[in-house]
């Protein structure tokens, strides 16, 4: 870890660096290169002054954008959106029985959808503190996949998509 204060980076610079990394990852995922997507995100996070903070911020940014797109798909928040979790055989499972990365992803997104940013941060912090590297990779893949799928659905319905996502997908 570096002695550089992560808060010394101006917020617009940090945000641009994170959106660039996420955009490159989304482009790789769109091309069917999930491993390449993770490589791009990992490289950006490792190069950061505080990789823990950047990993957290990158995932929170993706879940926040997903939340906004879920709201758009739910008629601007006036219609409920149902979340379902499926096992490898295509059977629906309760959230509490899902694999830990999927459980974390669902809980983080639900917290964001309900405006509980602190709850979303807590979910990511718990994962960063306790999850194995492969579980963190799975959580990042889930965030990227949802971002890609939700943006596709919003674009198909002529609903708003954040510019940085629209420009990469």
């Amino acid at each position: 870890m570096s002695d550089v204060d992560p808060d010394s980076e101006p917020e617009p610079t940090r945000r641009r660096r994170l959106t660039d990394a996420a955009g490159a990852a989304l482009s790789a995922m769109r091309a069917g290169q999930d491993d390449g997507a993770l490589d791009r995100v990992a490289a950006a996070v490792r190069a950061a002054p505080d990789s823990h903070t950047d990993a957290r911020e990158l995932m929170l940014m993706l879940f926040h954008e997903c939340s906004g797109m879920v709201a758009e798909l739910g008629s601007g928040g006036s219609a409920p959106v149902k979340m379902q979790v499926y096992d490898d055989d295509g059977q629906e499972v309760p959230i509490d029985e899902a694999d830990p990365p999927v459980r974390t992803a669902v809980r983080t997104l639900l917290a964001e959808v309900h405006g509980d940013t602190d709850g979303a941060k807590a979910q990511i912090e718990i994962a960063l503190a306790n999850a194995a590297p492969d579980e963190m990779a799975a959580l990042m893949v889930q965030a990227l996949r949802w971002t890609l799928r939700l943006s596709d659905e919003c674009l198909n319905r002529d609903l708003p998509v954040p510019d940085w996502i629209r420009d990469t997908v």
Side-chain angles (χ1 to χ4, degrees):
M1 190 135 94
S2 170
D3 291 334
V4 176
D5 178 6
D7 294 327
S8 67
E9 181 179 31
E11 185 55 34
T13 302
R14 171 189 248 164
R15 173 121 174 117
R16 183 66 186 172
R17 186 170 45 74
L18 293 176
T19 57
D20 286 349
L26 289 170
S27 293
M29 193 164 270
R30 163 85 62 220
Q33 301 168 355
D34 286 8
D35 289 341
L38 283 175
D39 291 344
R40 285 171 172 81
V41 169
V45 169
R46 274 193 304 270
D50 180 349
S51 60
H52 178 91
T53 298
D54 270 27
R56 181 189 68 224
E57 294 304 314
L58 182 59
M59 282 189 274
L60 286 171
M61 178 183 69
L62 290 169
F63 284 113
H64 177 77
E65 300 294 19
C66 285
S67 171
M69 290 183 284
V70 165
E72 288 297 332
L73 289 166
S75 300
S78 65
V81 174
K82 182 178 181 182
M83 292 191 68
Q84 297 169 291
V85 177
Y86 297 93
D87 64 16
D88 293 336
D89 297 324
Q91 299 297 312
E92 187 174 1
V93 295
I95 291 171
D96 291 335
E97 293 177 20
D99 291 335
V102 174
R103 212 171 35 236
T104 299
V106 170
R107 288 178 177 159
T108 303
L109 181 57
L110 286 172
E112 278 289 338
V113 165
H114 292 287
D116 184 6
T117 302
D118 289 339
K121 284 180 185 176
Q123 289 296 317
I124 298 298
E125 282 298 333
I126 290 167
L128 284 167
N130 300 306
D134 62 326
E135 290 177 325
M136 286 308 300
L139 179 60
M140 182 61 74
V141 166
Q142 191 66 58
L144 290 165
R145 281 186 183 144
W146 284 351
T147 303
L148 197 58
R149 289 179 183 155
L150 287 165
S151 65
D152 285 348
E153 192 61 33
C154 284
L155 289 170
N156 288 337
R157 296 182 189 192
D158 291 326
L159 296 171
V161 172
D163 290 339
W164 74 267
I165 296 173
R166 181 185 299 270
D167 294 345
T168 60
V169 298

